[in-house]
Amino acid sequence: MADTQTADPLAHYPEWARNLARRYFTKTINQFVLHGNVRDLVRTIDEKDQTAYVPLRQFLSEDLFAGRDVVLFYDRSHGIHFADPASRADFNRALSGYDTIFGTEYAKKMPKDPARVFALLDNYIRLRLADGKRIAVVVDYAETIIPMTEAASYSAEDRTALVYLQKWSHDPILLEADFSLVLITENLTDLNRQFIQSPYNAELEITLPDADQRSSFLDSFLGTGGRRQRYEALSDVPPVALSQNTAGLGYVQLRTILADVIENERRMTFEALSEKKKELIEAEAYGLLEFVETDYTLKMVAGHSEAKAHLRAAADAIRKGRPDVMPMGYLVSGPVGTGKTFLITTFAGEIGIPMVKLKNFRSQWQGVTEGNLEKILTLLRAMNPVAVMIDEADAALGDRSASGDSGVSSRVFGQIAQAMSDTRFRGKIIWFLVTARPDLMPVDLKRQGRAEEHIGLFYPSTREDRVELLEVMMKKTGVRVALSDVPDALLDGERTYSGADMEALLTRAKFRATTDLAEFLAADNGDAAAATPAAEASGAEPTDNAAPGGDGAAPEAAPAEPAPKKPSPAEAEEGTVSGEVLAAVVEDFVPPTYPLQVELQNLVAVMECTSRSMLPERFRGLDREATVRRIEELKRLIGER
């Protein structure tokens, strides 16, 4: 009996609902903002004490606020609507009185705009609270009611809605009465900042379900009868494995996957599940996240031996379940063409966890950029463990002092910086910031506690490194050429070739070999075709010993020139390239050169590297003060301030 009396009546509620109830009982807050996974199902207990999953609106009206006398909903599309007919009838009676007093005709046509709706609600709420009624108001799509915008851009409607909400939040009468106001939005950053920063409301995040919660949902949905049997007969993925491999998905998405198997009889394999998960998450992120998929591993990276050794050790730690030894993030820098993006992409093939790439999440519309980023960060937290690559990070992330864009860049910077420094996700969300100009990035993102490990990549300088790079690029491009036929200018010359340069050279050589063969074959066929018409045009019978003198003696034939050796069509298709062709391409190749910019990118990467052992030998002994002076000189020479 004692256990029954002390049992928590809120125990079956989600964490956010328990927090809402506890905050409400303090009688100091009556406004709550629900954000995050608000379009998903909510776990509850039905009338038969069975686990059920229902939409958020149904959970609020039939469970959390089931004891209220009136539960009404409002959004711009539907206007005011009610949880039950009795509440609707009561409101209509009050509406008739409002029309009589204020000379309106709202009983004939209910308004939908926030200014007039909130005026109606203010009158109705106060009237019914005076009668001892208990009321809950739910405002959905709150970002359309009090959108995030600069104060100078507020419309009269925005100001009116904001004033009503702020007035209700600290009105003593409403705080003492049994009244609650819930606003629902997916992204907190989409709401008016003045409202969000108010101490009189509480923001509660509805998170995506974790593995245990997904497992409970799968057990509830499949049950123990025919539905489970049908799923198990059509799926190679057991329910336990399905719950473990669907991080980042909500209950609705899980139900979609299950229904596709059970109703459409589409067989579920681990490969099909992986593709479906990526499709659903990319759609959920509005196409702003892209999964990095590659068949390459770090074995495909030439040179950079120290960086590869570190990343292999990091991948091993992740596979062993040691996130605590991982850095919060990496800064990967170096001159253009050194394979920064490729290195991180191949790392995705080593770690055994998903890697995503942030696409352009910026928008020209006020508040959309911050909302996009909040959505992405919410998904990343739910998907962990996950690696995140941000290419051209110096341009993508902004900084604290950015101006000229109404503060968007500084707010983006703040969101990213906060996410990167959340130690709860050490080794679970691994950030890779990739840039050729780390000096342009704010110190706040590069400091320890965020991008803790700084890796520098540089052009190959030794013959061994160049040979290794060439072999890797031959595999990548499908070009075959004997190393003994590779010109010394490519492997030992003074000119430095990046991986991008070598890839371009090999592709040109393959193109040259293919086009030379086509021209040779065309010319050969043309000569053979021309010989027959010439003979036919003479009208002479062909003879073995025709002679101009008529004596039948044949003139002495000139010795035939040896035919040039050409690769067979099969060899050309396979990518075989002769040493002569490659030498000609190397001699002709003029890479776009920006020596000052490349030198600057080299030196800033050296200065950023946080491990001396990961620097090439030629950079380890550089005088740092002299290097800083040279960097400043280079910036002046190329016109940077």
Side-chain angles (χ1 to χ4, degrees):
M1 179 66 70
D3 291 342
T4 304
Q5 289 176 347
T6 58
D8 185 359
L10 307 176
H12 66 282
Y13 282 173
E15 181 65 25
W16 66 265
R18 295 199 297 271
N19 287 338
L20 188 152
R22 291 176 184 133
R23 298 291 293 273
Y24 170 75
F25 288 140
T26 66
K27 292 294 184 181
T28 59
I29 289 181
N30 63 15
Q31 287 192 11
F32 305 91
V33 182
L34 303 183
H35 64 99
N37 189 34
V38 296
R39 306 302 169 200
D40 203 3
L41 303 177
V42 180
R43 183 180 184 273
T44 186
I45 303 297
D46 62 18
E47 297 177 351
K48 299 179 181 179
D49 289 333
Q50 299 293 318
T51 299
Y53 292 84
V54 299
L56 177 59
R57 173 181 166 175
Q58 183 178 338
F59 174 77
L60 292 174
S61 62
E62 298 180 5
D63 199 322
L64 192 61
F65 296 137
R68 303 299 175 93
D69 298 303
V70 177
V71 179
L72 63 86
F73 297 83
Y74 168 66
D75 64 68
R76 275 185 174 271
S77 175
H78 291 87
I80 300 173
H81 45 291
F82 298 84
D84 59 88
S87 297
R88 175 71 188 190
D90 180 71
F91 183 81
N92 286 339
R93 288 194 296 271
L95 190 60
S96 298
Y98 186 93
D99 285 344
T100 301
I101 295 172
F102 295 100
T104 56
E105 296 183 348
Y106 292 157
K108 295 181 179 179
K109 185 176 181 181
M110 188 86 72
K112 294 183 178 181
D113 60 282
R116 291 187 295 171
V117 165
F118 282 0
L120 268 177
L121 292 181
D122 185 66
N123 179 270
Y124 176 73
I125 291 168
R126 295 180 186 280
L127 184 65
R128 289 298 178 255
L129 289 179
D131 295 336
K133 298 289 187 180
R134 297 166 297 172
I135 301 175
V137 177
V138 180
V139 179
D140 204 352
Y141 301 97
E143 68 276 8
T144 66
I145 309 298
I146 46 170
M148 200 288 286
T149 186
E150 298 300 318
S153 303
Y154 289 172
S155 67
E157 186 178 84
D158 293 338
R159 295 177 188 276
T160 300
L162 182 60
V163 167
Y164 269 113
L165 292 175
Q166 291 181 321
K167 182 173 64 174
W168 292 342
S169 69
H170 53 75
D171 189 311
I173 296 176
L174 301 187
L175 288 171
E176 287 296 325
D178 201 347
F179 169 75
S180 300
L181 174 67
V182 175
L183 293 96
I184 300 174
T185 184
E186 288 191 54
N187 300 316
L188 198 61
T189 54
D190 289 343
L191 297 185
N192 182 285
R193 297 189 65 81
Q194 184 178 347
F195 176 79
I196 293 301
Q197 293 169 355
S198 169
Y200 297 105
N201 52 54
E203 295 82 36
L204 302 172
E205 182 180 7
I206 301 179
T207 60
L208 285 159
D210 60 24
D212 291 338
Q213 292 167 336
R214 294 193 298 272
S215 180
S216 297
F217 173 79
L218 293 175
D219 288 341
S220 175
F221 184 88
L222 293 174
T224 57
R227 185 182 282 180
R228 179 177 289 272
Q229 294 171 1
R230 189 171 180 81
Y231 173 80
E232 291 176 349
L234 291 167
S235 176
D236 299 336
V237 185
V240 172
L242 181 61
S243 66
Q244 294 172 345
N245 288 274
T246 48
L249 299 184
Y251 298 131
V252 170
Q253 294 162 321
L254 284 174
R255 188 174 62 184
T256 299
I257 292 174
L258 293 172
D260 194 36
V261 176
I262 296 170
E263 303 299 334
N264 298 331
E265 298 187 353
R266 192 185 301 270
R267 185 155 201 87
M268 174 63 69
T269 64
F270 280 96
E271 292 77 13
L273 174 61
S274 178
E275 290 300 317
K276 189 66 174 178
K277 174 185 172 181
K278 292 173 184 176
E279 175 187 329
L280 290 171
I281 289 180
E282 288 179 355
E284 185 70 15
Y286 311 132
L288 303 174
L289 275 184
E290 177 184 352
F291 279 84
V292 176
E293 299 182 73
T294 179
D295 295 328
Y296 301 133
T297 65
L298 286 168
K299 293 180 181 179
M300 284 296 295
V301 178
H304 312 314
S305 55
E306 294 83 3
K308 287 190 295 184
H310 175 87
L311 291 176
R312 284 195 176 105
D316 186 58
I318 294 172
R319 286 192 294 268
K320 291 179 178 178
R322 291 298 307 275
D324 57 303
V325 303
M326 290 293 296
M328 295 293 290
Y330 290 85
L331 174 66
V332 183
S333 59
V336 292
T338 50
K340 298 182 292 296
T341 302
F342 183 68
L343 175 73
I344 305 308
T345 302
T346 58
F347 180 66
E350 297 270 342
I351 55 180
I353 64 174
M355 174 176 277
V356 295
K357 182 177 182 180
L358 261 64
K359 300 170 76 172
N360 183 17
F361 54 82
R362 292 179 177 268
S363 171
Q364 62 178 324
W365 306 112
Q366 184 79 19
V368 175
T369 296
E370 298 93 318
N372 287 342
L373 184 54
E374 182 182 346
K375 183 72 172 180
I376 290 170
L377 295 176
T378 299
L379 280 171
L380 293 178
R381 288 192 290 269
M383 288 171 60
N384 78 87
V386 62
V388 185
M389 178 169 60
I390 304 179
D391 215 347
E392 306 296 340
D394 55 298
L397 300 183
D399 58 58
R400 197 181 298 278
S401 61
S403 59
D405 58 0
S406 299
V408 172
S409 292
S410 61
R411 289 193 292 271
V412 165
F413 169 83
Q415 287 177 273
I416 288 286
Q418 183 178 7
M420 289 183 64
S421 60
D422 192 340
T423 54
R424 294 176 302 166
F425 296 97
R426 178 181 290 276
K428 298 176 181 178
I429 301 178
I430 308 169
W431 298 87
F432 288 90
L433 310 183
V434 183
T435 176
R437 290 295 304 274
D439 56 309
L440 299 180
M441 292 184 59
V443 175
D444 300 50
L445 291 182
K446 299 185 293 184
R447 69 168 175 82
Q448 296 302 295
R450 287 179 180 147
E452 295 176 334
E453 196 75 48
H454 298 189
I455 298 175
L457 305 184
F458 305 93
Y459 296 142
S461 56
T462 66
R463 181 181 177 87
E464 292 75 16
D465 287 344
R466 293 183 183 186
V467 169
E468 183 182 5
L469 181 59
L470 180 64
E471 290 175 338
V472 167
M473 287 304 163
M474 284 194 291
K475 288 181 181 179
K476 185 177 181 181
T477 59
V479 171
R480 300 196 315 176
V481 59
L483 285 179
S484 58
D485 292 338
V486 176
D488 289 338
L490 190 57
L491 301 180
D492 291 313
E494 294 182 0
R495 176 186 292 173
T496 301
Y497 292 93
S498 68
D501 291 337
M502 284 197 178
E503 184 176 356
L505 279 169
L506 293 174
T507 303
R508 288 190 184 191
K510 183 164 60 172
F511 174 80
R512 176 79 171 267
T514 303
T515 54
D516 285 356
L517 175 63
E519 292 173 1
F520 185 93
L521 292 175
D524 194 27
N525 292 336
D527 292 343
T532 302
E536 291 175 352
S538 66
E541 292 293 330
T543 62
D544 291 335
N545 298 306
D551 59 1
E556 186 175 347
E561 294 183 4
K565 184 179 182 301
K566 60 182 183 293
S568 68
E571 289 177 326
E573 288 181 4
E574 291 175 358
T576 300
V577 173
S578 67
E580 292 81 3
V581 169
L582 182 58
V585 170
V586 170
E587 184 178 355
D588 179 66
F589 183 64
V590 181
T593 56
Y594 314 99
L596 295 179
Q597 285 86 344
V598 170
E599 183 184 358
L600 175 60
Q601 291 169 2
N602 265 316
L603 294 180
V604 295
V606 170
M607 295 299 292
E608 287 290 347
C609 191
T610 54
S611 176
R612 190 182 301 274
S613 64
M614 279 196 275
L615 286 174
E617 188 65 37
R618 69 185 188 278
F619 290 130
R620 293 179 187 176
L622 286 182
D623 181 271
R624 296 186 74 83
E625 291 185 6
T627 302
V628 170
R629 289 195 297 270
R630 179 57 178 165
I631 288 174
E632 294 303 318
E633 180 183 1
L634 288 169
K635 289 183 178 180
R636 288 194 298 270
L637 290 173
I638 64 177
E640 289 187 11
R641 294 183 178 180

